[in-house]
Amino acid sequence: MKQTLLELMRMSRICRMVLATCLGSFILVIFYFQSMFQPVMRRNQFAVDVCCRKGSRNALQELYNPTQSEFSSAAILHQGRRDQVAESCRAQSASSRKRRVLTPGDLKHLVVDEEHELIYCYVPKVACTNWKRVMMVLTGRGKYSDPMEIPSNEAHVPSNLKYLNQYSIAEINHRLKSYLKFLFVREPFERLVSAYRNKFTLKYNSSFHRRFGTKIVRRYRKNATQEALLNGADVKFREFAEYLVDPATQRDGPLNEHWQTVYQLCHPCHIHYDLVGKYETLEEDANYVLRLAGVGESVRFPTYAKSTRTTDSMTAQFFSNISSQQHSQLFQLYKLDFLMFNYSTPSYLRLD
């Protein structure tokens, strides 16, 4: 009898744990189901919707209800970008039967700044190292003052920043509703070629050579040498393209973050981003974010070396070395990023 009672108590505890887990997931499902429709609306109800530090306005309020005339024209520009994302999301929702529900694990790219009420979704190869440096300055409570004093490898140490997936469900929902959420995007094929150049043509990236290069050489190179099979250090762009569009790659799991689509990294059809910055206007857009956060006078976004940047003409040269079929397949892979962020189809693209 005593043993039966203990067994019933144990089962009761398990049931309570399962119920709590299901309830948390249910709350997150509700939030994201609602947020799918949120981009359609122009948000302008901060008097009752947003709670900020007493006696001050947060970045979200300043974006939608600017008090400074210099912000007004920028607000119109960014409203247009939000509208473009919303329109693309509506079209995608209408054409797809799949209904994706996010989990906390999908939020690992969203960096949180509690002090200035900011959430930044980082996208590799879109100045994310410098943005992480800036976020470390903003969240460092005086530890850092100049972003460029922070070594690049330090910026990529996960423990140096706080990510949205580290919060509880209720805390996630509160921050997604109340903080200014932003991301930066780039012309998709320029970003792709930039990732290829950085990860497969530079000797110091041996970890990528071993992790991805050896697999690519093994799958797509006939009569590969033993050295190439062993170190994977000389992957050709044609082989990289073949790897990306191969259904076997999709079955292996999500693409690496350096060449994954922005659509999959930041989930802009589920999360209503208040500001979409562009790599092409990086310094202007980045400093606009910092001014909205009230730190424009003390923190400036770092300039970058334009001489090493992957350009449109450079991208066209790489694409000239792959087949028309690969052109079409790559465009289908990154099509949503082109549409959502208003990038034109490249003139060099050969679509069958």
Side-chain angles (χ1 to χ4, degrees):
M1 182 67 178
K2 183 177 180 181
Q3 184 175 358
T4 303
L5 183 59
L6 289 172
E7 183 65 23
L8 288 172
M9 290 173 66
R10 188 179 69 84
M11 291 179 66
S12 177
R13 285 197 300 271
I14 294 172
C15 288
R16 287 198 300 271
M17 291 172 61
V18 171
L19 180 61
T21 302
C22 292
L23 181 59
S25 301
F26 180 66
I27 292 170
L28 189 63
V29 167
I30 289 177
F31 177 84
Y32 284 113
F33 181 75
Q34 291 174 336
S35 70
M36 288 177 68
F37 302 96
Q38 195 173 17
V40 181
M41 304 184 298
R42 294 172 184 252
R43 300 177 56 172
N44 194 22
Q45 65 272 22
F46 298 106
V48 296
D49 194 31
V50 174
C51 179
C52 61
R53 295 178 298 276
K54 186 176 180 180
S56 66
R57 290 164 57 83
N58 68 3
L60 194 61
Q61 291 172 306
E62 198 60 57
L63 173 66
Y64 287 97
N65 292 310
T67 57
Q68 302 181 45
S69 57
E70 63 173 306
F71 291 160
S72 298
S73 58
I76 295 171
L77 167 68
H78 288 285
Q79 179 64 60
R81 291 180 182 176
R82 287 193 296 275
D83 289 345
Q84 176 70 28
V85 172
E87 183 180 340
S88 300
C89 288
R90 287 196 295 270
Q92 170 68 7
S93 178
S95 63
S96 176
R97 294 181 179 180
K98 296 181 180 179
R99 289 294 178 266
R100 175 84 157 79
V101 175
L102 299 187
T103 67
D106 293 308
L107 308 177
K108 61 185 179 182
H109 273 246
L110 278 71
V111 181
V112 179
D113 172 9
E114 296 280 1
E115 175 67 21
H116 304 93
E117 299 184 350
L118 301 174
I119 294 177
Y120 159 60
C121 183
Y122 78 87
V123 178
K125 308 312 300 175
V126 192
C128 82
T129 300
N130 280 345
W131 259 118
K132 286 182 177 181
R133 284 170 164 150
V134 169
M135 296 297 280
M136 286 176 68
V137 171
L138 294 180
T139 61
R141 298 186 181 278
K143 182 178 180 181
Y144 308 103
S145 58
D146 180 1
M148 293 310 292
E149 290 178 351
I150 303 172
S152 59
N153 62 311
E154 282 291 308
H156 296 292
V157 175
S159 60
N160 285 336
L161 291 166
K162 187 117 184 224
Y163 295 85
L164 194 59
N165 66 334
Q166 296 172 296
Y167 292 85
S168 69
I169 301 297
E171 291 171 332
I172 288 171
N173 286 342
H174 167 70
R175 282 156 182 75
L176 285 174
K177 183 178 181 182
S178 304
Y179 289 14
L180 184 142
K181 300 166 294 298
F182 69 97
L183 76 162
F184 273 71
V185 299
R186 183 178 186 177
E187 201 279 343
F189 287 160
E190 280 189 22
R191 176 175 169 249
L192 178 64
V193 170
S194 177
Y196 166 77
R197 290 178 64 212
N198 180 255
K199 301 306 177 187
F200 293 108
T201 68
L202 301 178
K203 291 182 179 180
Y204 68 80
N205 269 321
S206 57
S207 61
F208 271 81
H209 302 162
R210 290 192 299 270
R211 183 179 174 189
F212 297 101
T214 53
K215 181 189 296 184
I216 292 171
V217 169
R218 186 169 63 251
R219 283 185 181 178
Y220 309 111
R221 185 179 302 181
K222 294 180 180 179
N223 303 317
T225 65
Q226 283 301 312
E227 182 181 3
L229 289 168
L230 184 64
N231 59 40
D234 63 340
V235 170
K236 306 296 186 290
F237 185 70
R238 175 189 54 78
E239 297 168 334
F240 179 55
E242 195 168 353
Y243 164 76
L244 291 174
V245 301
D246 188 343
T249 301
Q250 301 297 324
R251 290 194 294 271
D252 288 344
L255 295 176
N256 179 267
E257 62 177 13
H258 291 85
W259 44 84
Q260 179 61 283
T261 63
V262 178
Y263 175 76
Q264 292 289 353
L265 289 176
C266 295
H267 312 287
C269 288
H270 292 77
I271 298 172
H272 175 68
Y273 286 95
D274 304 290
L275 193 147
V276 177
K278 293 201 168 186
Y279 190 75
E280 294 76 15
T281 51
L282 174 61
E283 291 181 43
E284 179 183 345
D285 291 347
N287 288 315
Y288 175 57
V289 173
L290 296 175
R291 291 198 305 274
L292 287 173
V295 295
E297 296 297 322
S298 57
V299 181
R300 298 292 293 177
F301 193 82
T303 56
Y304 61 99
K306 295 183 179 181
S307 60
T308 60
R309 175 175 176 252
T310 300
T311 62
D312 179 71
S313 58
M314 194 182 297
T315 303
Q317 184 177 356
F318 277 92
F319 269 72
S320 68
N321 296 320
I322 64 177
S323 68
S324 297
Q325 182 181 13
Q326 288 176 321
H327 279 220
S328 298
Q329 291 172 319
L330 285 173
F331 184 70
Q332 285 302 313
L333 182 61
Y334 292 94
K335 187 175 182 179
L336 275 177
D337 281 6
F338 275 100
L339 296 175
M340 198 163 289
F341 306 116
N342 202 27
Y343 286 107
S344 302
T345 304
S347 59
Y348 57 78
L349 205 62
R350 304 190 304 273
L351 299 176
D352 293 335

